[in-house]
Amino acid sequence: MENCLFCKIIAGEIPSTVEYEDEYIYAFKDINPVAPVHTLVVPKKHICCLDGLCDEDEALMGKVMLGIKKVASKYEECKDGYRVINNCGENGGQTVMHLHFHIIGGTKLDEKLI
Ligand code: AMP
Ligand code: ZN
């Protein structure tokens, strides 16, 4: 999609530090990490947010979730656990409108909202 930051990153038009890539997903380091491990996992298909999912994305979302597990398993720092976060929409604090999941780990995450 034109003018989507993460689509440009996936296309290689904007540099990123890639951590994993396959047919369905792209994982890269967050530019502003909040923990020793902070990686974003995105579907290569442009989907604006969780609310933008449709029934035909069901299998793709399985790939995304298994991809998150695969990416997290690469990090020794995540062997004792990690957190996966999705911010959805304005009230959810989403700033980039291409569906993405944050993998955060490498430290004890004490600030729990839930
Ligand atoms: P969210 O606030 O959930 O929409 O998350 C967007 C994330 O994208 C933030 O954590 C940003 O630090 C990250 N981000 C923004 N621009 C880039 C970029 N060029 N490369 C990597 N991460 C980015
Ligand atoms: Zn996009």
Side-chain angles (χ1 to χ4, degrees):
M1 157 144 320
E2 245 177 88
N3 285 328
C4 170
L5 175 64
F6 288 174
C7 281
K8 287 181 179 168
I9 284 176
I10 293 161
E13 293 165 14
I14 291 176
S16 66
T17 304
V18 63
E19 295 286 84
Y20 176 78
E21 179 177 13
D22 64 24
E23 189 181 344
Y24 304 100
I25 67 171
Y26 190 82
F28 57 105
K29 287 190 176 170
D30 196 292
I31 205 167
N32 187 22
V34 299
V37 172
H38 188 169
T39 292
L40 301 174
V41 178
V42 309
K44 287 187 170 175
K45 176 183 175 185
H46 179 87
I47 300 168
C48 66
C49 60
L50 269 186
D51 269 355
L53 287 169
C54 56
D55 288 347
E56 72 177 31
D57 297 320
E58 186 176 353
L60 173 61
M61 287 309 293
K63 302 281 187 194
V64 171
M65 297 313 290
L66 288 170
I68 289 170
K69 177 190 158 186
K70 191 178 283 185
V71 173
S73 73
K74 284 165 42 84
Y75 302 117
E76 174 69 18
E77 301 98 307
C78 290
K79 72 178 185 337
D80 294 325
Y82 53 92
R83 191 169 292 166
V84 178
I85 295 173
N86 170 258
N87 298 317
C88 182
E90 193 182 343
N91 280 5
Q94 185 176 3
T95 59
V96 178
M97 293 307 290
H98 180 126
L99 179 63
H100 56 279
F101 295 85
H102 300 251
I103 298 175
I104 293 168
T107 186
K108 180 88 177 153
L109 297 162
D110 287 328
E111 286 173 39
K112 284 192 75 184
L113 199 57
I114 50 161

